[in-house]
Each structure stands twice: as C-alpha cells, then as structure tokens.
C-alpha cells in the first residue's frame, strides 16, 4: 500500500484511479474539486504540527492524522492535538465518494457527482454544484450550499444552514439553535423539505408555482406566509401554517419551539435579476427572506 508522510508543503500526483477520498484535519482548510480526470492531485500548501499521512489502497485516497479516526470523530476533544493546522487542496474525479472530517477547519467541496459526507466540530462547510447525496453533521459549524441537486441532510447543535438555488430531491435538517434559510428554485418539481429546530429561525423560499402539502408549527414564535392559499392561524402561543400549494404532490414541514417561521415566494424566473454574489451573501434572515426583500402580500401572525 503506497504511503507518504507529509511534514511540509508538498505536491503529490496519483496515477492510479481514485474512487473514494477520506480527509481528516484539524484547523486550516480543505478544498476538494471534482474534475474530468481519472487521477487525483494533492497539494499541501501550509502545515503546522505533526505530519499528515497519505495512503492509497483499493481506490481510496486518505489524507489524515494518525491519531484522528473517522469513527467517533465529533467526540474527539484532545485539546493538545488541536495545536496543528493544514491547508489541503485536492483535485479528484467528479465521481469520487468523499468523506471529510474537520475540527476547527473549513471545508469546501465543489463539482462532484457522488456522495459527500462531512463531519465538523467548529469549522464551516461550503458546497457548490454537488449533485450526489449530501450529509453534514456539525456541532457549531455552518453549512452553505449552492446549486446542490442531491438529497441534503444536515444535523447541527448551533450551526446555521443556508441553501441557495436548491433544486435537490429533498432537504432534511435538524438543529437546536441554528437558523435555517432554504431557497428552492426547482420550478414545477414537488417540494420535499423537512426542517426541525428548537430556538433557531426558519425561512423557506419556494419556487412559483409551488407543489406541496404545507405544515409549519411553532410553539411560541411568529409565523408569516406569502401564499394566499395557505392558512395562518393558531391560539395561545402556538402558531401554524397549513394548506396545499399546487397539486400537493410534495411535502413541506417546518417545526420550531420558540423560533419564527417565514414562507416566502420566489418570483417567476424571468422577473429575477441575475446575482453574482458569493454563496449565502444575500441571505439576511427570516424577516427579510433570502434576498432581503419581504413580499408585500405576506400574512403575519
């Protein structure tokens, strides 16, 4: 099994095919880009602390520390081991299955077609043009996803979720206090979104026309809706939004205990102005919606 110990800035090229990538680092940055090539390239541009061990076996390329296993990753709390940092960039075939574990490091994955799984403690994750299924588990790291077309799963304690130009099959997210902003643009496709939160705010912008059965509930927060076909009501502290949009083939469920919930409507595509801003740069919060412009016809309770 080929193995390299990387103790300083270095570049490596792997001639044999790569079908899976495993990366685990502490502090710094991981950048993974999908390409049309069958081989993979690695560049470690910055490195502090112990060396990274690089191995290649049965099509799996691994870049990690010896003392940082994938199993139990989110419980790895060796503070002395945190005194390290690495900036790692990889170009891999777009069909590569990807597992990334980051403790205090940022992770960026773009242009891939296969499954992506990210585990993070405090580092943020950015996904761009990923078409395979995605699962992200974090403690306090944020997730920003743009043009992700595969099923998206997100679990966090306090990390925020921002989805821009989402057109995937489904979005499932759970958090305790992180905010959730989901902007969907899959016009004509059934919506499949299920979001659960305790105290974080939730904002969902749906395409026009939308197709979903809607059920949104909060125990003590506020709710607002830009859709005349939906009912906004409730009594005492509890509020809810219910009803059907289009044929009701899809499903939209949102639930919070004390956070607010806003359902916004995306204008028809021809009315939208092009935007060249960075991922999530236009997301401001449930009050303003993902584009910062609150609809004039929304109902608030």
């Amino acid at each position: 099994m080929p193995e390299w110990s990387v103790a300083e800035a270095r570049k490596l090229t792997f001639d044999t095919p790569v079908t899976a990538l495993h990366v685990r680092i502490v502090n710094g940055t991981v950048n993974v880009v999908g390409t049309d090539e069958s081989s993979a390239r690695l560049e470690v541009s910055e490195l502090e602390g112990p060396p990274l061990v690089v191995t290649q076996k049965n099509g799996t390329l691994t870049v990690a520390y010896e003392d940082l296993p994938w199993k139990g990753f989110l419980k790895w709390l060796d503070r002395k081991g945190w005194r390290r940092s690495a900036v790692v960039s990889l170009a891999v075939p777009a069909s590569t299955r990807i597992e990334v574990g980051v403790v205090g490091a940022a992770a960026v994955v773009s242009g891939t077609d296969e499954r992506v799984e990210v585990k993070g403690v405090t580092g943020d994750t950015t996904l761009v043009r990923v078409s395979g299924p995605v699962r992200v588990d974090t403690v306090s790291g944020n997730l920003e996803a743009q043009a992700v077309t595969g099923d998206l799963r997100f679990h966090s304690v306090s990390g925020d979720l921002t989805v821009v130009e989402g057109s995937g099959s489904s979005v499932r997210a759970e958090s305790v206090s992180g905010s959730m902003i989901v902007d969907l643009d899959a016009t004509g496709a059934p919506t499949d979104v299920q979001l659960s939160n305790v105290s974080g705010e939730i904002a969902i912008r749906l395409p026009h026309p939308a197709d979903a059965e809607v059920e949104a509930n909060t125990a003590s927060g506020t709710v607002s809706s830009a859709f005349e076909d939906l009912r906004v009501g409730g009594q005492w502290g509890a509020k809810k939004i219910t009803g059907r949009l289009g044929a009701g083939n899809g499903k939209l469920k949102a639930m919070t205990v004390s956070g607010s919930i806003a359902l916004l409507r995306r204008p028809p595509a021809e009315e939208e102005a092009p935007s060249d801003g960075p991922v999530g740069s236009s997301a401001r919060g449930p009050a303003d919606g993902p584009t910062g412009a609150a609809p004039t016809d929304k109902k608030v309770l």
Side-chain angles (χ1 to χ4, degrees):
M1 177 179 67
E3 180 175 310
W4 300 263
S5 179
V6 179
E8 58 186 3
R10 186 176 179 182
K11 296 181 180 180
L12 293 172
T13 300
F14 308 92
D15 296 328
T16 56
V18 172
T19 58
L21 172 67
H22 299 168
V23 181
R24 299 186 297 275
I25 70 167
V26 177
N27 299 323
T29 305
V30 176
N31 295 295
V32 181
V33 178
T35 70
D36 294 332
E37 302 175 9
S38 60
S39 59
R41 301 186 304 275
L42 164 68
E43 179 179 359
V44 179
S45 55
E46 297 179 22
L47 184 65
E48 296 180 9
L52 288 168
V53 177
V54 180
T55 59
Q56 190 176 22
K57 180 181 180 181
N58 298 329
T60 298
L61 177 62
T62 301
V63 182
Y65 295 109
E66 287 185 318
D67 60 349
L68 186 58
W70 179 256
K71 186 176 181 179
F73 183 86
L74 298 180
K75 298 180 180 178
W76 193 79
L77 297 174
D78 181 3
R79 294 290 175 174
K80 292 183 180 179
W82 285 42
R83 297 170 184 171
R84 59 184 80 176
S85 178
V87 177
V88 177
S89 300
L90 292 123
V92 297
S95 58
T96 301
R97 300 184 305 276
I98 296 171
E99 291 182 358
V100 176
V102 285
V103 180
V108 181
V109 180
S110 63
T112 61
D113 303 331
E114 262 289 352
R115 179 178 179 83
V116 174
E117 185 172 358
V118 179
K119 292 183 179 179
V121 179
T122 59
D124 294 341
T125 301
T126 301
L127 306 174
V128 182
R129 297 186 304 280
V130 173
S131 59
V134 172
R135 182 183 178 93
V136 178
D137 294 275
T138 76
V139 178
S140 60
N142 303 322
L143 169 62
E144 296 184 349
Q146 182 174 11
V148 171
T149 57
D151 293 346
L152 175 62
R153 303 290 182 267
F154 176 66
H155 298 270
S156 178
V157 177
S158 59
D160 298 336
L161 169 67
T162 303
V163 177
V164 181
E165 298 175 7
S167 58
S169 299
S170 67
V171 178
R172 302 282 189 276
E174 297 178 1
S175 183
V176 176
S177 59
S179 65
M180 299 177 178
I181 299 174
V182 178
D183 175 30
L184 303 176
D185 70 351
T187 303
T191 298
D192 187 4
V193 175
Q194 295 188 39
L195 309 179
S196 176
N197 215 324
V198 177
S199 60
E201 299 178 337
I202 295 177
I204 306 169
R205 191 168 77 154
L206 298 172
H208 180 73
D211 185 5
E213 288 283 352
V214 177
E215 180 182 348
N217 300 275
T218 177
S220 60
T222 61
V223 297
S224 62
S225 172
F227 297 90
E228 296 179 354
D229 294 337
L230 300 180
R231 298 180 297 276
V232 179
Q235 55 185 352
W236 300 100
K239 306 290 188 304
K240 62 182 179 179
I241 304 172
T242 57
R244 174 182 295 178
L245 297 173
N249 292 317
K251 180 183 297 184
L252 189 159
K253 281 192 172 184
M255 181 180 67
T256 75
V257 177
S258 58
S260 64
I261 300 177
L263 300 184
L264 310 176
R265 177 166 48 197
R266 171 186 278 269
E270 61 269 15
E271 296 181 12
E272 291 191 278
S275 173
D276 295 323
V279 176
S281 63
S282 60
R284 303 186 181 181
D288 294 329
T291 58
T296 58
D297 60 342
K298 73 176 180 179
K299 295 176 285 186
V300 182
L301 186 62

Short mmCIF file of all heavy atoms in Angstrom, two decimals, residues 3-47:
data_model
loop_
_atom_site.label_atom_id
_atom_site.label_comp_id
_atom_site.label_asym_id
_atom_site.label_seq_id
_atom_site.Cartn_x
_atom_site.Cartn_y
_atom_site.Cartn_z
N GLU A 3 2.31 4.76 0.70
CA GLU A 3 2.10 5.65 1.85
C GLU A 3 3.15 6.75 1.84
O GLU A 3 4.32 6.51 1.54
CB GLU A 3 2.17 4.85 3.15
CG GLU A 3 1.97 5.72 4.40
CD GLU A 3 1.92 4.90 5.68
OE1 GLU A 3 1.14 3.91 5.72
OE2 GLU A 3 2.66 5.24 6.63
N TRP A 4 2.70 7.98 2.16
CA TRP A 4 3.58 9.13 2.23
C TRP A 4 3.37 9.85 3.56
O TRP A 4 2.23 9.98 4.02
CB TRP A 4 3.31 10.12 1.10
CG TRP A 4 3.49 9.58 -0.28
CD1 TRP A 4 4.58 9.69 -1.08
CD2 TRP A 4 2.52 8.84 -1.04
NE1 TRP A 4 4.36 9.08 -2.29
CE2 TRP A 4 3.09 8.55 -2.30
CE3 TRP A 4 1.22 8.41 -0.78
CZ2 TRP A 4 2.42 7.84 -3.28
CZ3 TRP A 4 0.54 7.69 -1.76
CH2 TRP A 4 1.14 7.40 -2.98
N SER A 5 4.44 10.31 4.16
CA SER A 5 4.36 11.16 5.34
C SER A 5 4.69 12.58 4.91
O SER A 5 5.81 12.86 4.45
CB SER A 5 5.34 10.69 6.42
OG SER A 5 5.28 11.54 7.56
N VAL A 6 3.71 13.47 5.02
CA VAL A 6 3.87 14.85 4.56
C VAL A 6 4.09 15.75 5.77
O VAL A 6 3.18 15.99 6.56
CB VAL A 6 2.64 15.31 3.76
CG1 VAL A 6 2.81 16.75 3.30
CG2 VAL A 6 2.40 14.39 2.57
N ALA A 7 5.32 16.23 5.93
CA ALA A 7 5.68 17.05 7.07
C ALA A 7 5.89 18.51 6.71
O ALA A 7 6.16 19.34 7.59
CB ALA A 7 6.94 16.50 7.74
N GLU A 8 5.79 18.85 5.43
CA GLU A 8 5.96 20.22 4.98
C GLU A 8 5.17 20.41 3.68
O GLU A 8 4.58 19.46 3.16
CB GLU A 8 7.44 20.53 4.75
CG GLU A 8 8.09 19.59 3.73
CD GLU A 8 9.57 19.81 3.62
OE1 GLU A 8 10.11 20.64 4.36
OE2 GLU A 8 10.20 19.16 2.76
N ALA A 9 5.15 21.63 3.19
CA ALA A 9 4.41 21.91 1.95
C ALA A 9 4.90 20.98 0.84
O ALA A 9 6.10 20.81 0.63
CB ALA A 9 4.60 23.36 1.55
N ARG A 10 3.91 20.38 0.14
CA ARG A 10 4.29 19.36 -0.85
C ARG A 10 3.15 19.13 -1.83
O ARG A 10 1.98 19.33 -1.50
CB ARG A 10 4.62 18.05 -0.12
CG ARG A 10 5.17 16.96 -1.03
CD ARG A 10 5.56 15.74 -0.22
NE ARG A 10 6.07 14.67 -1.07
CZ ARG A 10 6.44 13.47 -0.63
NH1 ARG A 10 6.38 13.20 0.67
NH2 ARG A 10 6.88 12.55 -1.47
N LYS A 11 3.49 18.69 -3.06
CA LYS A 11 2.51 18.30 -4.06
C LYS A 11 2.70 16.84 -4.42
O LYS A 11 3.84 16.38 -4.54
CB LYS A 11 2.66 19.17 -5.32
CG LYS A 11 2.37 20.65 -5.11
CD LYS A 11 2.51 21.41 -6.41
CE LYS A 11 2.24 22.90 -6.22
NZ LYS A 11 2.39 23.67 -7.49
N LEU A 12 1.57 16.14 -4.59
CA LEU A 12 1.62 14.74 -4.97
C LEU A 12 0.62 14.50 -6.09
O LEU A 12 -0.47 15.07 -6.09
CB LEU A 12 1.28 13.83 -3.78
CG LEU A 12 2.27 13.78 -2.62
CD1 LEU A 12 1.68 12.99 -1.47
CD2 LEU A 12 3.59 13.15 -3.07
N THR A 13 0.98 13.62 -7.03
CA THR A 13 0.07 13.21 -8.10
C THR A 13 -0.09 11.70 -8.03
O THR A 13 0.89 10.97 -7.85
CB THR A 13 0.62 13.61 -9.48
OG1 THR A 13 0.78 15.02 -9.54
CG2 THR A 13 -0.33 13.17 -10.59
N PHE A 14 -1.33 11.22 -8.16
CA PHE A 14 -1.64 9.80 -8.03
C PHE A 14 -2.12 9.28 -9.39
O PHE A 14 -3.17 9.69 -9.88
CB PHE A 14 -2.71 9.60 -6.95
CG PHE A 14 -2.36 10.26 -5.65
CD1 PHE A 14 -2.80 11.56 -5.39
CD2 PHE A 14 -1.59 9.62 -4.70
CE1 PHE A 14 -2.48 12.19 -4.21
CE2 PHE A 14 -1.26 10.24 -3.51
CZ PHE A 14 -1.69 11.54 -3.26
N ASP A 15 -1.35 8.38 -9.97
CA ASP A 15 -1.64 7.91 -11.31
C ASP A 15 -2.74 6.85 -11.34
O ASP A 15 -3.47 6.72 -12.32
CB ASP A 15 -0.37 7.35 -11.96
CG ASP A 15 0.68 8.43 -12.16
OD1 ASP A 15 0.29 9.59 -12.39
OD2 ASP A 15 1.89 8.11 -12.07
N THR A 16 -2.85 6.06 -10.28
CA THR A 16 -3.88 5.02 -10.25
C THR A 16 -5.25 5.65 -9.97
O THR A 16 -5.34 6.68 -9.30
CB THR A 16 -3.55 3.97 -9.17
OG1 THR A 16 -3.40 4.63 -7.91
CG2 THR A 16 -2.28 3.23 -9.52
N PRO A 17 -6.33 5.04 -10.47
CA PRO A 17 -7.66 5.64 -10.30
C PRO A 17 -8.06 5.81 -8.85
O PRO A 17 -7.70 4.99 -7.99
CB PRO A 17 -8.58 4.62 -11.01
CG PRO A 17 -7.69 3.90 -11.97
CD PRO A 17 -6.36 3.82 -11.31
N VAL A 18 -8.80 6.87 -8.59
CA VAL A 18 -9.31 7.16 -7.24
C VAL A 18 -10.84 7.15 -7.29
O VAL A 18 -11.45 7.84 -8.09
CB VAL A 18 -8.81 8.54 -6.75
CG1 VAL A 18 -9.50 8.92 -5.44
CG2 VAL A 18 -7.30 8.50 -6.56
N THR A 19 -11.44 6.33 -6.44
CA THR A 19 -12.91 6.25 -6.38
C THR A 19 -13.48 6.77 -5.06
O THR A 19 -14.68 7.03 -4.96
CB THR A 19 -13.37 4.80 -6.58
OG1 THR A 19 -12.78 3.97 -5.56
CG2 THR A 19 -12.96 4.29 -7.95
N ALA A 20 -12.62 6.91 -4.04
CA ALA A 20 -13.08 7.41 -2.75
C ALA A 20 -11.99 8.27 -2.13
O ALA A 20 -10.80 7.99 -2.30
CB ALA A 20 -13.46 6.27 -1.81
N LEU A 21 -12.41 9.31 -1.40
CA LEU A 21 -11.47 10.22 -0.75
C LEU A 21 -11.87 10.39 0.70
O LEU A 21 -13.03 10.69 1.01
CB LEU A 21 -11.47 11.58 -1.45
CG LEU A 21 -10.68 12.70 -0.77
CD1 LEU A 21 -9.18 12.38 -0.79
CD2 LEU A 21 -10.95 14.05 -1.43
N HIS A 22 -10.90 10.21 1.61
CA HIS A 22 -11.11 10.43 3.03
C HIS A 22 -10.10 11.48 3.51
O HIS A 22 -8.89 11.29 3.33
CB HIS A 22 -10.92 9.14 3.84
CG HIS A 22 -11.87 8.05 3.45
ND1 HIS A 22 -11.71 6.74 3.88
CD2 HIS A 22 -13.00 8.07 2.69
CE1 HIS A 22 -12.70 5.99 3.38
NE2 HIS A 22 -13.48 6.77 2.66
N VAL A 23 -10.60 12.56 4.11
CA VAL A 23 -9.72 13.62 4.61
C VAL A 23 -10.13 13.95 6.04
O VAL A 23 -11.31 14.13 6.34
CB VAL A 23 -9.81 14.90 3.75
CG1 VAL A 23 -8.86 15.97 4.29
CG2 VAL A 23 -9.50 14.60 2.29
N ARG A 24 -9.14 14.03 6.94
CA ARG A 24 -9.41 14.42 8.33
C ARG A 24 -8.28 15.34 8.79
O ARG A 24 -7.13 14.91 8.88
CB ARG A 24 -9.49 13.18 9.23
CG ARG A 24 -10.60 12.23 8.86
CD ARG A 24 -10.74 11.09 9.88
NE ARG A 24 -9.54 10.26 9.94
CZ ARG A 24 -9.31 9.24 9.12
NH1 ARG A 24 -10.16 8.96 8.14
NH2 ARG A 24 -8.22 8.51 9.27
N ILE A 25 -8.63 16.60 9.09
CA ILE A 25 -7.61 17.53 9.55
C ILE A 25 -8.14 18.37 10.72
O ILE A 25 -9.35 18.41 10.98
CB ILE A 25 -7.12 18.48 8.43
CG1 ILE A 25 -8.20 19.47 8.03
CG2 ILE A 25 -6.62 17.70 7.23
CD1 ILE A 25 -7.67 20.60 7.17
N VAL A 26 -7.21 19.04 11.39
CA VAL A 26 -7.53 19.94 12.50
C VAL A 26 -7.05 21.34 12.14
O VAL A 26 -5.87 21.52 11.85
CB VAL A 26 -6.86 19.46 13.81
CG1 VAL A 26 -7.15 20.44 14.95
CG2 VAL A 26 -7.33 18.07 14.17
N ASN A 27 -7.96 22.30 12.14
CA ASN A 27 -7.65 23.69 11.80
C ASN A 27 -7.14 23.80 10.35
O ASN A 27 -6.64 22.85 9.78
CB ASN A 27 -6.64 24.30 12.77
CG ASN A 27 -7.16 24.32 14.19
OD1 ASN A 27 -8.36 24.55 14.42
ND2 ASN A 27 -6.29 24.07 15.16
N GLY A 28 -7.30 24.98 9.78
CA GLY A 28 -6.89 25.19 8.41
C GLY A 28 -8.05 25.10 7.44
O GLY A 28 -9.17 25.51 7.74
N THR A 29 -7.81 24.50 6.26
CA THR A 29 -8.82 24.44 5.20
C THR A 29 -8.65 23.18 4.37
O THR A 29 -7.52 22.75 4.10
CB THR A 29 -8.69 25.66 4.26
OG1 THR A 29 -8.76 26.87 5.01
CG2 THR A 29 -9.80 25.67 3.23
N VAL A 30 -9.77 22.61 3.95
CA VAL A 30 -9.78 21.52 2.98
C VAL A 30 -10.56 21.98 1.76
O VAL A 30 -11.72 22.38 1.87
CB VAL A 30 -10.44 20.25 3.56
CG1 VAL A 30 -10.51 19.17 2.48
CG2 VAL A 30 -9.68 19.73 4.76
N ASN A 31 -9.93 21.93 0.59
CA ASN A 31 -10.60 22.26 -0.67
C ASN A 31 -10.60 21.02 -1.56
O ASN A 31 -9.53 20.47 -1.86
CB ASN A 31 -9.87 23.39 -1.40
CG ASN A 31 -9.93 24.70 -0.64
OD1 ASN A 31 -10.98 25.27 -0.45
ND2 ASN A 31 -8.77 25.17 -0.17
N VAL A 32 -11.79 20.60 -1.98
CA VAL A 32 -11.90 19.44 -2.86
C VAL A 32 -12.67 19.85 -4.12
O VAL A 32 -13.77 20.39 -4.02
CB VAL A 32 -12.63 18.27 -2.18
CG1 VAL A 32 -12.70 17.07 -3.12
CG2 VAL A 32 -11.94 17.88 -0.87
N VAL A 33 -12.08 19.60 -5.28
CA VAL A 33 -12.69 19.97 -6.55
C VAL A 33 -12.81 18.73 -7.42
O VAL A 33 -11.84 17.97 -7.58
CB VAL A 33 -11.85 21.04 -7.28
CG1 VAL A 33 -12.47 21.38 -8.63
CG2 VAL A 33 -11.72 22.29 -6.43
N GLY A 34 -14.00 18.53 -8.00
CA GLY A 34 -14.19 17.43 -8.92
C GLY A 34 -13.73 17.79 -10.32
O GLY A 34 -13.94 18.92 -10.78
N THR A 35 -13.09 16.85 -11.02
CA THR A 35 -12.57 17.09 -12.37
C THR A 35 -13.01 15.96 -13.30
O THR A 35 -13.58 14.96 -12.87
CB THR A 35 -11.03 17.17 -12.37
OG1 THR A 35 -10.50 15.87 -12.12
CG2 THR A 35 -10.54 18.15 -11.31
N ASP A 36 -12.69 16.10 -14.57
CA ASP A 36 -13.00 15.07 -15.57
C ASP A 36 -11.89 14.03 -15.68
O ASP A 36 -11.99 13.09 -16.46
CB ASP A 36 -13.21 15.72 -16.95
CG ASP A 36 -14.45 16.62 -16.96
OD1 ASP A 36 -15.38 16.34 -16.19
OD2 ASP A 36 -14.46 17.59 -17.74
N GLU A 37 -10.83 14.18 -14.91
CA GLU A 37 -9.70 13.26 -14.98
C GLU A 37 -9.94 12.04 -14.10
O GLU A 37 -10.75 12.07 -13.17
CB GLU A 37 -8.42 13.98 -14.54
CG GLU A 37 -8.09 15.22 -15.38
CD GLU A 37 -6.89 15.98 -14.84
OE1 GLU A 37 -6.23 15.45 -13.93
OE2 GLU A 37 -6.63 17.10 -15.32
N SER A 38 -9.24 10.95 -14.37
CA SER A 38 -9.37 9.73 -13.57
C SER A 38 -8.39 9.68 -12.41
O SER A 38 -8.59 8.94 -11.46
CB SER A 38 -9.18 8.48 -14.45
OG SER A 38 -7.88 8.49 -15.03
N SER A 39 -7.35 10.48 -12.49
CA SER A 39 -6.34 10.51 -11.43
C SER A 39 -6.64 11.65 -10.46
O SER A 39 -7.59 12.42 -10.65
CB SER A 39 -4.94 10.67 -12.02
OG SER A 39 -4.88 11.88 -12.77
N ALA A 40 -5.83 11.75 -9.42
CA ALA A 40 -6.04 12.78 -8.40
C ALA A 40 -4.74 13.52 -8.13
O ALA A 40 -3.65 12.99 -8.35
CB ALA A 40 -6.57 12.14 -7.11
N ARG A 41 -4.88 14.74 -7.65
CA ARG A 41 -3.73 15.56 -7.28
C ARG A 41 -3.93 16.14 -5.89
O ARG A 41 -5.05 16.51 -5.51
CB ARG A 41 -3.52 16.70 -8.29
CG ARG A 41 -3.30 16.23 -9.71
CD ARG A 41 -2.94 17.40 -10.63
NE ARG A 41 -3.95 18.46 -10.61
CZ ARG A 41 -5.04 18.47 -11.34
NH1 ARG A 41 -5.31 17.44 -12.15
NH2 ARG A 41 -5.91 19.46 -11.28
N LEU A 42 -2.85 16.22 -5.13
CA LEU A 42 -2.88 16.76 -3.77
C LEU A 42 -1.84 17.84 -3.62
O LEU A 42 -0.71 17.68 -4.07
CB LEU A 42 -2.61 15.64 -2.75
CG LEU A 42 -2.24 16.07 -1.32
CD1 LEU A 42 -3.44 16.72 -0.63
CD2 LEU A 42 -1.72 14.88 -0.50
N GLU A 43 -2.24 18.94 -3.00
CA GLU A 43 -1.28 19.98 -2.64
C GLU A 43 -1.49 20.35 -1.18
O GLU A 43 -2.59 20.76 -0.78
CB GLU A 43 -1.44 21.22 -3.50
CG GLU A 43 -0.46 22.33 -3.12
CD GLU A 43 -0.57 23.57 -3.98
OE1 GLU A 43 -1.41 23.57 -4.91
OE2 GLU A 43 0.19 24.54 -3.73
N VAL A 44 -0.46 20.21 -0.38
CA VAL A 44 -0.45 20.69 1.00
C VAL A 44 0.39 21.97 0.99
O VAL A 44 1.60 21.92 0.84
CB VAL A 44 0.16 19.65 1.96
CG1 VAL A 44 0.18 20.20 3.38
CG2 VAL A 44 -0.64 18.35 1.90
N SER A 45 -0.28 23.12 1.09
CA SER A 45 0.42 24.40 0.95
C SER A 45 0.89 24.97 2.28
O SER A 45 1.82 25.76 2.32
CB SER A 45 -0.47 25.42 0.24
OG SER A 45 -1.71 25.56 0.89
N GLU A 46 0.22 24.56 3.37
CA GLU A 46 0.64 25.00 4.70
C GLU A 46 0.47 23.85 5.67
O GLU A 46 -0.49 23.08 5.57
CB GLU A 46 -0.21 26.20 5.19
CG GLU A 46 -0.08 27.45 4.34
CD GLU A 46 -0.96 28.57 4.86
OE1 GLU A 46 -1.32 28.54 6.06
OE2 GLU A 46 -1.30 29.47 4.07
N LEU A 47 1.42 23.72 6.61
CA LEU A 47 1.33 22.63 7.57
C LEU A 47 2.07 23.00 8.85
O LEU A 47 3.23 23.38 8.82
CB LEU A 47 1.92 21.35 6.98
CG LEU A 47 1.81 20.09 7.83
CD1 LEU A 47 0.34 19.70 8.02
CD2 LEU A 47 2.57 18.93 7.20
#
